[in-house]
Each structure stands twice: as structure tokens, then as C-alpha cells.
Amino acid sequence: MAFTPRDPPAGGAFLPGHPQPHGRPPGTVLRFTLIGAAPAPLVSGREELAGKANYFIGADPARWRTNVPIFAKVHYRAVYPGTDVVFYGTQGQLEHDFIVAPGADPRAITIGVEGADRLSVDAAGNLVLKITGGEVRFQKPVVYQEVDGVRRELAGGYTLRSAHRIGFQVAAYDPRKRLVIDPVIFYAAGVGASGIHLGHAIAVDAAGNAYVTGATYAGDLPTTPGAFQVANTGGGDVFVTKLNPTGTRLAVDATGNAYVMGWTSSTDFPTTPGALQTIYGGGFYNAFVTKVNPAGTRLVYSTYLGGNGDDQGLGIAVDAAGSAYVTGYAFSTNFPTTSGAFQTAKPGSFQNAFVAKLNPAGSAPLVYSTYLGGSSIDIGQGIAVDAAGSAYVTGSTFSTNFPTTPGAFQTASKGGFHAFVTKLHPTGSAPVYSTYLGGSGIDIGQGIAVDAAGGAYVAGFTTSANFPTTPGAFQTAYGGGATDAFVTKLHPTGSALVYSTYLGGNRDDLGEGIAVDAAGNAYVTGFTTSANFPTTPGAFQTAYGGGRADAFATKLNPTGSTPLVHSTYLGGSGDDYGAGIA
């Protein structure tokens, strides 16, 4: 059971307003051992669920595991003579029941605890484990027997056997009947969550299935006894989850491949024969692109994408033919580019954005691949594609000579980091238009979407009090704090703003993801620390939940004006971040 605090990881370059962890901070690992228990008890799953789990770990396909069943409970038989243990979850809490058969001795149960500085039992009978930075509590166990079909609770609780061992004490009970001891972990303070799972992107198919991807730094994603890997590999692993339209279970059906982009430092990242790049290029990390079949049981293709420097994949889009368009940034001077592409040589000595198009098979050659940048720092964050195959890219640039086009909305930098929006020709040979988007402060484009008419919708965040807004937009004045989110719609020619608005309160607000529907409504997510972030009456959550940040979800009408269609916080008392929306 690992409790490791961690901020959401961001790119290798500094992006203002984003936490920038360097390595993984030390945490506390609690290990529980059944002292004197059977060394190899029979383990089985109980109450099989509808979904399946698939594991593509490492470069050896012989070790990949697919269609692994998922169970609601895990049953360990005869851990002590006459005593079983059943693990399960109830309302987000991990429970494990000790089932003591008639005639068996509950005093045989002895649990060793490693990783805690001190163990104690408080006045309420709860077990308290003191650890670095806080404490973990186990609620006083419920002890009961069933008599004539009626549950009868008994007096009992924890007892300390030694400094790092605990057991249970039970008052008088009927030894001829089964006894159940039910502890539950219910509170952890100052130590984060039981595992770190970070969702970064989401997509939805025509049937309403949701595809979620991100990174996990813990081993409590659904696994089963005997599966190939029931814990993560020690760093961050990518996960891809497909949910049915109601979100009630994992769905496995015949529609929809999932495309995932990111970055990896693993030299044995799972690639597929015939893929574009099956060998790690070098540097601390390479980008990767992976296509997963509709059932999640097979990698259609999986490839590295990088040179001998540090290259990160940050955005991906897919066209109707199944070609993947990707963006990110590259430090590599030998990042794979293609003849005839817009920029085949690295234009600066820092990281530059890149844009690449892969064919539906993910094989060589690339359809096109180009750098995109100037002489300083350029980062591609989000990408979208229209029906004609033109890619729309947003991100941030520190380059005063970032490639813009004549007649674009903003052809000159006002200094510092600016957002940019670039539309590439379907061949990747040149920009159709390319523009800065910013004021005199720091402006970061994070997400981009495109409508059927070619209008580009951009979400991000800014420190500029003079970020370009339009008359009649929802919020034309900076709200306050270190950053405000912004939402901007560009004319299909890139020559003007259809609308542009701040979106924020009096503290820090960051736009992260954006989507657009057929009617031209924009859906935006991100996170906020503002207690007065603009919400709408009757929204799901109109008050700030607490913690360092709450996620938000906001829908703007097609003109980007007042009133908002709807806007809500989405968060509790901890830290909640919105990263993607569909």
C-alpha cells in the first residue's frame, strides 16, 4: 500500500502555472504481512465483473497478457487453519474480511506492519499508524456472527502484540458458528492517495464509449491474482481505459481503436514488428505513438518517435482514414523529419515543436514530419485535424522569430512566452496560416479543436492583462491572480478573432482542454483556485470544493458571449485537475 504525494507531471520545459516535479519525491510504503500464515494459500477471484484487463508491459510480446478477468473480490483460503481472507472494495474503501470457520482460533491472526514509525489503538478502538507526514487509520473492526440468519455484532477490536504486530481480541462468541472480523481503512491524512493515477486525455466514439489515457504511479489499477503484473514497473506506466456509454463498467465491443501518444524513458517500451521506429532513439525520453484495437487486447501498432535527444509527445489527433497526427517538442537535432516538410532542420538550440503524420499502419515512412519553431523555446501542446487533413496546432513559444504568415491575426511577438496557432497544409509542406496569440505577459495554448467550417478553438492560460479579447465576449477583463484561463475562436483564415474571452476568478485559473460540438458550442476544462470562478445557477457544483485546486467544466455558446451555457466546479477537499474533455 503506497502513499506517495506527487503533483501532476508536466513537460520537460517550464510552463508557467504548472507544477514542475523533478524526479519522484520520497513517500511512505506500508507493508502488511500475515505472520505465521500458510506460505502458498489457494487464491481465487470471486464475483467476476464484465470488463477485462490487458497488459502490454515490456518489449517481449510473449509476456503480454490480454483478456485478464477482473473480479469484485479476491479470496485467500486457509491462510491460517480454518481462517480465510477476502479482499474487496466498498464505496471507495478497501476492506478485507477474516472469515473464521467454526472451531478455528481467531487469536492465530497476527499482522506484521512495516513502514510505520509507531502503532497505537486510540480511545475509539481505531488502529493508528504514525508515518512521515501524517497518519493512516484503520477503523475499529466490526466483529459479528450470523445466528438464524440475523447478523449479531460482538464486542472486539485490535490488540497490539508487539511494537509492529497487531492481532484481534473477541469477546464471548459461539465457537460452533462462523466468525467474521471486518477491518476497513477509512482515513489517511497528509500523505496523498493510496495510489497516483493521472488522467491526461479523453475521447469519445460514435457509440458513446469513452476512452481515457494517462499515467499511473501505483499498482492499484484493476488486476487479478496470477496476472502478469499486479504492480507497476517502478516508474510511471501508461494506462488506457475504455468505458461503456454509461461509465458503469469496462466495455469490450467491436468498434473503435484507441490512439495514445506520450513519452517514455523505457528502452523496452512495447513496440510492434514493422512499426516506424522499434528502437529507442536516445536521450532521457522518446515520444511514442500506440494504436490499440477496439477490445484493448492487441496493439495494432506501437512505435517510438524520437532522435538522440529528449523528445516528448504531448498531443494527438486522428482523421477519418485512421492516420494519426502528433505534436510535442524535440531537443533532438535528428528528430525524424521528411523530405519536403516545412522545416526539416532543427531551427533553434532549445526544444522546438514538431508535427508529424503517421499512416494508419504506423509504419515507415512517415506521411510527413516537420519541426515547427524559431530560435528559442517552442512547445506543441495540442493538435486537431479537419476533414481535409489540415492539422491545427497550438502551444507556446519564446521565439521572437516563430514562423508566422502574412495577414495572420498577430504576426509579431510582444515579448515573453506567447501562445501560437498554426494550421498546416495537408502535405505538411507549409503553414496555411500561423499566428501568435498573446499579450505582454505569459500566454500558453494548451488545447485546440476545429469545427466543420475550419474555425479553430483554443483554450489555455495567460498572465497578460492585455490578452486579446473581443467586444461582447463573456469576460473581457482579467479576473486576477497569477493566471486566467482563456478561450479563443479564430476565423478559418486565421486573420481575425471570432471571439476571445478570459475565463477566471480572482486567483489562478488554467484552461487545459477544449472540444466543440456541431452547433459551435465550446466545452472547456482545466483547474482553478478561485472561489469566484464563473459558474451558472443550477450547475452541478457552484461552490469551490477546497484543496489546492478544483477542476472545472464550462460550456460557451457559439458567440462566446454572456451567458455561459453552463459552468461548474468539479472537485472535493483535495486537489482536482481537469486535463481533457470530449
Side-chain angles (χ1 to χ4, degrees):
M1 198 182 301
F3 298 87
T4 307
R6 182 184 175 92
D7 285 327
F14 173 70
L15 295 183
H18 274 216
Q20 299 291 315
H22 297 282
R24 209 172 164 191
T28 297
V29 177
L30 295 175
R31 302 185 187 279
F32 300 85
T33 306
L34 293 177
I35 305 298
L42 179 63
V43 182
S44 61
R46 293 172 56 180
E47 300 179 16
E48 184 173 354
L49 301 176
K52 294 290 189 291
N54 303 288
Y55 299 86
F56 302 98
I57 307 296
D60 182 5
R63 301 188 68 189
W64 298 349
R65 299 292 183 267
T66 61
N67 284 317
V68 178
I70 301 172
F71 297 90
K73 296 181 178 181
V74 181
H75 188 181
Y76 289 74
R77 300 179 186 276
V79 293
Y80 296 103
T83 299
D84 298 349
V85 184
V86 177
F87 289 89
Y88 58 98
T90 300
Q91 297 180 345
Q93 298 176 329
L94 175 65
E95 295 209 32
H96 55 284
D97 292 354
F98 290 94
I99 312 297
V100 183
D105 187 357
R107 293 174 298 180
I109 302 170
T110 303
I111 302 172
V113 182
E114 298 178 25
D117 298 327
R118 182 169 55 87
L119 279 61
S120 63
V121 178
D122 66 17
N126 303 313
L127 176 65
V128 182
L129 280 58
K130 179 66 177 177
I131 61 173
T132 302
E135 60 186 29
V136 176
R137 293 173 180 260
F138 283 79
Q139 189 174 355
K140 179 183 177 180
V142 176
V143 183
Y144 65 90
Q145 290 184 301
E146 287 191 0
V147 179
D148 297 327
V150 178
R151 186 166 120 169
R152 182 167 67 90
E153 293 192 8
L154 305 170
Y158 290 107
T159 181
L160 297 179
R161 299 277 172 83
S162 67
H164 294 283
R165 292 188 179 186
I166 58 175
F168 300 98
Q169 56 183 351
V170 182
Y173 68 98
D174 187 345
R176 298 169 299 177
K177 300 184 181 296
R178 190 180 72 162
L179 178 72
V180 178
I181 302 173
D182 178 11
V184 57
I185 183 171
F186 80 109
Y187 180 70
V191 293
S194 62
I196 307 298
H197 311 298
L198 304 171
H200 290 291
I202 186 169
V204 177
D205 66 18
N209 299 295
Y211 301 73
V212 184
T213 188
T216 177
Y217 295 85
D220 53 354
L221 284 175
T223 60
T224 55
F228 165 64
Q229 184 182 353
V230 295
N232 84 327
T233 54
D237 282 355
V238 174
F239 71 82
V240 185
T241 298
K242 180 177 179 181
L243 299 170
N244 72 352
T246 61
T248 55
R249 65 183 190 277
L250 291 171
V252 180
D253 64 20
T255 62
N257 299 288
Y259 297 73
V260 186
M261 188 183 199
W263 66 93
T264 179
S265 60
S266 300
T267 56
D268 62 345
F269 186 84
T271 59
T272 51
L276 170 71
Q277 181 181 338
T278 59
I279 304 299
Y280 191 78
F284 184 71
Y285 34 69
N286 273 188
F288 70 82
V289 186
T290 299
K291 179 179 179 180
V292 186
N293 77 343
T297 58
R298 183 175 63 87
L299 302 182
V300 179
Y301 68 76
S302 186
T303 180
Y304 292 106
L305 182 64
N308 58 10
D310 299 339
D311 310 306
Q312 285 197 3
L314 296 172
I316 188 167
V318 181
D319 66 17
S323 296
Y325 300 69
V326 295
T327 192
Y329 70 80
F331 271 102
S332 298
T333 57
N334 64 337
F335 186 86
T337 59
T338 53
S339 175
F342 171 58
Q343 284 182 322
T344 57
K346 192 174 188 300
S349 57
F350 299 95
Q351 65 263 55
N352 292 121
F354 69 81
V355 185
K357 178 180 178 181
L358 287 79
N359 63 43
S363 58
L366 286 163
V367 180
Y368 70 76
S369 182
T370 180
Y371 291 101
L372 179 62
S375 57
S376 190
I377 297 171
D378 317 288
I379 301 169
Q381 290 284 144
I383 190 167
V385 61
D386 66 17
S390 294
Y392 299 69
V393 185
T394 192
S396 58
T397 178
F398 200 69
S399 298
T400 56
N401 61 341
F402 185 85
T404 60
T405 53
F409 167 68
Q410 183 180 340
T411 58
S413 170
K414 297 179 181 179
F417 267 102
H418 278 344
F420 69 83
V421 184
T422 299
K423 177 183 178 181
L424 283 175
H425 188 276
T427 63
S429 57
V432 177
Y433 69 76
S434 187
T435 180
Y436 290 103
L437 181 63
S440 55
I442 296 169
D443 318 288
I444 309 293
Q446 290 286 92
I448 191 166
V450 61
D451 64 21
Y457 300 70
V458 183
F461 56 93
T462 179
T463 69
S464 300
N466 62 340
F467 185 86
T469 60
T470 52
F474 168 69
Q475 182 181 337
T476 57
Y478 190 80
T483 60
D484 262 12
F486 70 79
V487 185
T488 299
K489 178 182 177 182
L490 281 84
H491 188 274
T493 63
S495 60
L497 305 181
V498 178
Y499 69 76
S500 187
T501 180
Y502 292 103
L503 182 63
N506 59 5
R507 294 192 64 191
D508 304 340
D509 318 284
L510 291 86
E512 295 286 312
I514 190 166
V516 60
D517 65 20
N521 298 294
Y523 302 73
V524 186
T525 191
F527 55 94
T528 177
T529 66
S530 299
N532 65 336
F533 184 86
T535 60
T536 51
F540 168 68
Q541 183 182 341
T542 57
Y544 188 74
R548 288 184 297 179
D550 269 9
F552 67 81
T554 299
K555 179 179 178 181
L556 290 87
N557 63 41
T559 63
S561 59
T562 301
L564 295 171
V565 181
H566 64 70
S567 186
T568 182
Y569 291 102
L570 186 62
S573 58
D575 305 336
D576 311 291
Y577 300 89
I581 193 164

